[in-house]
């Protein structure tokens, strides 16, 4: 463990921008949802009716988890039920970033040549990530207890979030030992997270509670914050996190630096005939992520589409709730308002894939794989543009798949498949100009200011915060307009204006051009 403290300070320095953002954003989402629900339903009768209407919908239970109580705090926590998944995602990616990525880039071997213990890097990554989860927990406790919702419930909520994030930080630590590539480690960890979420969905929506208990995501919910707290699931999560961490340390001690436990799959001795262009190479690098995002959003889209009719019935009796949702969605039809609000959230989520794809070229640079390719008959602009093809067209594929899934599920439940399928698919694709703007920002930073590419993720976190809590907090229009998503039409059901869509597309084109120009002029690496 020698040098773990110094490496932890290095981790904090490198993540001094992005880590505070995801900690703050994820910590404030539950209290903002709770505050909004308390304002919309000031009476016990209204809260009971709200809880009964939403809790009776299996699709909504699959999406957010079971409704445990009718009080405002419990319902706010339920409405923010996807937040622990995001916290788990941030935790596992942080651990992989500071373990496997460090090995892949060669920095781990360089640092290891100094007076640093073999396990110092893994210890530092886990310690900082666990500390970030505890910071989320502390903010949750202070915010809920400060609003008078009860210290016991606030403590159960904060502890539940922290242990879920810690378990998946340990999952990321194990995944980082298994493969020699950061991409492979992310794929393993994300598959584990997706499987845990699907188990939780299946258990909560079908009544097979034993399935939910197989998912660490459900353990935090089973602590029942503000609904008669149960503390022992936290012990279960801590034990599992400790066991997974022990496995990670054991695996780290059985392998060489920069090598995974699982042997890499060797490719063919000669490339296929169609593998002779930068675009073909980019397709090989991006196809796994594109497939994973498409499958994931198809599943989520089917769940949301199935929940739309029941959610609309629950919303129809509350004018204030309709007004709040209309700020996120559009139109006067209740189902349209619900679908539009969900589509807007999915649009921000797909931006995560767009930013990731746009920064892939920068990742290839830092790993030293760009320079050998560019030493051949490949232009710089052509090479970077091949990656940007997937940053711009990939989100269109994911949004189209999501729109088709939502439209098919909702159309089937409402008896209007032929009418709803194109409407909802078009609504999903209307998010593209804003998604392109974020991808183009990442491309511009990669070309002009490669050391500041983390600002693209910071912008995404800011837009997520504005989209989720800006309307609830009645922020001024000038603040909300900072997000490109605030300029999109509220579809389905809203009015379409071409001007903001064209303006966002033009901004994206200008940023992409700036990024390509900057990459052409600067040194590689």
């Amino acid at each position: 463990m020698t040098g773990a403290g110094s490496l932890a300070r290095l981790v904090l320095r490198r993540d001094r921008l992005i880590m505070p953002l995801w900690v703050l954003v994820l910590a404030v989402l539950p209290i903002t949802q709770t505050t909004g629900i308390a304002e919309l339903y000031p009476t016990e009768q209204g809260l009971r009716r709200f809880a009964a209407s939403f809790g009776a919908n299996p699709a909504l239970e699959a999406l957010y988890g079971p409704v445990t109580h009718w009080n405002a705090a419990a319902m706010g926590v339920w409405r923010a039920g996807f937040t622990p998944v995001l916290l788990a995602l941030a935790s596992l990616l942080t651990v992989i970033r500071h373990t496997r990525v460090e090995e892949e880039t060669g920095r781990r071997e360089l640092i290891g040549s100094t007076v640093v213990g073999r396990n110092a890097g893994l210890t530092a990554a886990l310690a900082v990530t666990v500390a970030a989860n505890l910071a989320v927990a502390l903010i949750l406790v202070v915010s809920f207890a400060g609003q008078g919702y009860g210290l016991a419930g606030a403590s159960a909520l904060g502890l539940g979030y922290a242990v879920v994030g810690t378990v998946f930080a340990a999952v990321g630590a194990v995944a980082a030992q298994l493969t020699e590539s950061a991409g492979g480690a992310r794929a393993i960890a994300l598959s584990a997270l997706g499987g845990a979420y699907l188990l939780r969905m299946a258990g909560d929506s079908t009544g097979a509670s034993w399935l939910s208990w197989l998912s660490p995501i459900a353990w935090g919910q089973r602590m029942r914050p503000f609904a008669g707290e149960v503390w022992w699931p936290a012990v279960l999560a801590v034990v599992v996190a400790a066991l997974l961490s022990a496995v990670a340390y054991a695996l780290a001690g059985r392998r060489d630096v920069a090598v995974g436990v699982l042997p890499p799959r060797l490719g063919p001795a000669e490339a296929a005939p169609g593998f002779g262009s930068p675009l073909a190479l980019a397709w090989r690098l991006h196809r796994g992520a594109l497939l994973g995002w498409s499958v994931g959003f198809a599943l989520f889209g089917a769940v949301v589409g199935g929940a739309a009719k029941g959610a609309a019935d629950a919303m129809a009796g509350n004018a204030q709730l309709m007004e709040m949702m209309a700020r996120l969605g559009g139109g006067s039809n209740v189902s349209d308002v619900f679908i539009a609000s969900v589509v807007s959230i999915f649009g921000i989520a797909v931006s995560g894939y767009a930013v990731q794809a746009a920064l892939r070229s920068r990742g290839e640079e830092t790993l030293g794989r760009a320079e050998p390719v560019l030493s051949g008959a490949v232009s710089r602009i052509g090479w970077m543009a091949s990656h940007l093809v997937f940053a711009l067209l990939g989100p269109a594929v994911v949004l189209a798949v999501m729109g088709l899934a939502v439209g098919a599920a909702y159309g089937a439940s409402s008896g209007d498949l032929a009418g709803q399928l194109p409407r909802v698919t078009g609504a999903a694709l209307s998010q593209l100009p804003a998604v392109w703007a974020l991808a183009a920002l990442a491309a511009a930073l990669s070309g002009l200011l490669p050391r500041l590419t983390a600002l693209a993720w910071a912008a995404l976190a800011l837009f997520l915060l504005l989209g989720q809590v800006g309307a609830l907090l009645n922020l001024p229009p000038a603040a909300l307009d900072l997000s490109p998503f605030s300029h999109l039409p509220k579809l389905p059901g809203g009015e379409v204006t071409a001007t903001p869509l064209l303006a966002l597309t033009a901004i994206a084109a200008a940023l992409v051009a700036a990024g390509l120009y900057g990459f052409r002029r600067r040194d590689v690496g």
Side-chain angles (χ1 to χ4, degrees):
M1 302 295 179
T2 303
S6 298
L7 290 181
R9 289 192 292 273
L10 178 61
V11 171
L12 289 171
R13 174 175 172 77
R14 293 183 61 200
D15 282 4
R16 63 187 180 274
L17 178 63
I18 191 65
M19 184 174 287
L21 275 173
W22 66 255
V23 166
L24 180 62
V25 169
L26 298 179
V28 302
L29 285 177
I31 189 61
T32 54
Q33 293 288 347
T34 299
T35 302
I37 289 173
E39 292 177 354
L40 291 170
Y41 298 93
T43 65
E44 178 180 332
Q45 181 182 6
L47 285 169
R48 286 182 179 274
R49 186 169 60 248
F50 174 71
S53 57
F54 278 90
N57 190 318
L60 288 177
E61 284 201 351
L63 193 61
Y64 298 118
V67 174
T68 57
H69 201 277
W70 54 264
N71 67 68
M75 291 304 300
V77 171
W78 171 80
R79 183 60 182 83
F82 199 71
T83 308
V85 182
L86 298 178
L87 183 60
L89 175 64
S91 298
L92 67 88
L93 291 178
T94 300
V95 171
I96 292 173
R97 165 177 159 80
H98 294 289
T99 52
R100 176 49 62 182
V101 172
E102 292 297 286
E103 294 188 48
E104 193 174 17
T105 57
R107 289 191 291 261
R108 170 66 179 85
E109 190 170 8
L110 181 64
I111 293 175
S113 65
T114 64
V115 186
V116 173
R118 181 178 182 87
N119 294 325
L122 178 58
T123 302
L126 283 172
V128 171
T129 306
V130 171
N133 281 280
L134 292 175
V136 172
L138 180 61
I139 295 172
L140 286 168
V141 172
V142 171
S143 60
F144 275 88
Q147 294 291 324
Y149 286 112
L151 181 59
S155 300
L157 174 63
L159 183 59
Y161 272 50
V163 295
V164 170
T166 299
V167 167
F168 282 97
V171 170
V174 173
Q177 314 309 315
L178 297 178
T179 69
E180 67 177 23
S181 70
R186 294 189 192 101
I188 293 172
L190 291 173
S191 298
L193 177 59
Y197 186 71
L198 289 175
L199 282 173
R200 205 276 304 153
M201 288 176 63
D204 290 341
S205 60
T206 62
S209 60
W210 64 273
L211 283 175
S212 297
W213 283 108
L214 297 177
S215 169
I217 296 172
W219 298 343
Q221 296 173 334
R222 291 302 189 271
M223 294 182 67
R224 297 177 59 87
F226 308 105
E229 292 75 24
V230 179
W231 300 97
W232 69 265
V235 178
L236 174 63
V238 171
V239 170
V240 170
L243 290 175
L244 288 171
S245 299
V247 170
Y249 280 110
L251 293 176
R254 295 175 63 87
R255 64 177 182 84
D256 292 331
V257 176
V259 177
V261 174
L262 302 176
R265 187 180 65 179
L266 299 179
E270 296 182 2
F275 199 62
S277 68
L279 185 61
L281 176 60
W283 163 247
R284 176 65 179 82
L285 295 174
H286 287 268
R287 64 185 182 184
L290 178 58
L291 177 62
W293 280 84
S294 298
V295 171
F297 272 81
L299 294 174
F300 287 132
V303 173
V304 169
K309 191 174 185 301
D313 294 340
M315 292 164 51
N318 190 293
Q320 289 177 299
L321 180 60
M322 283 290 297
E323 180 183 355
M324 181 192 75
M325 295 293 288
R327 296 177 186 176
L328 298 173
S332 56
N333 181 276
V334 183
S335 298
D336 285 350
V337 170
F338 175 77
I339 292 175
S341 65
V342 172
V343 164
S344 67
I345 297 172
F346 278 7
I348 297 177
V350 172
S351 298
Y353 164 69
V355 171
Q356 178 189 42
L359 295 179
R360 182 60 190 262
S361 60
R362 177 58 185 165
E364 293 295 294
E365 280 189 81
T366 58
L367 292 174
R369 294 197 287 249
E371 197 166 356
V373 175
L374 293 172
S375 65
V378 176
S379 68
R380 288 190 174 201
I381 290 180
W383 177 79
M384 185 176 180
S386 66
H387 288 279
L388 294 181
V389 166
F390 294 93
L392 299 175
L393 297 185
V397 173
V398 177
L399 286 171
V401 169
M402 184 269 291
L404 288 170
V406 176
Y410 175 58
S413 64
S414 63
D416 186 21
L417 180 61
Q420 296 300 331
L421 192 62
R423 290 182 74 243
V424 177
T425 303
L429 291 174
S430 71
Q431 302 292 309
L432 265 180
V435 175
W436 283 342
L438 263 172
L441 174 62
L445 290 170
S446 179
L448 297 171
L449 302 168
R451 293 182 180 273
L452 299 180
T453 52
L455 289 176
W457 294 109
L460 176 59
L462 175 63
F463 299 155
L464 173 64
L465 185 64
L466 290 174
Q468 289 297 289
V469 306
L472 294 174
L473 298 179
N474 293 316
L475 293 180
L480 297 177
D481 287 345
L482 292 174
S483 171
F485 295 91
S486 67
H487 302 281
L488 298 176
K490 311 300 183 185
L491 299 176
E495 296 182 1
V496 179
T497 304
T499 301
L501 299 179
L502 294 175
L504 286 172
T505 304
I507 291 171
L511 289 172
V512 167
L516 291 172
Y517 174 79
F519 179 68
R520 183 173 179 270
R521 301 280 295 181
R522 68 171 174 82
D523 292 335
V524 176

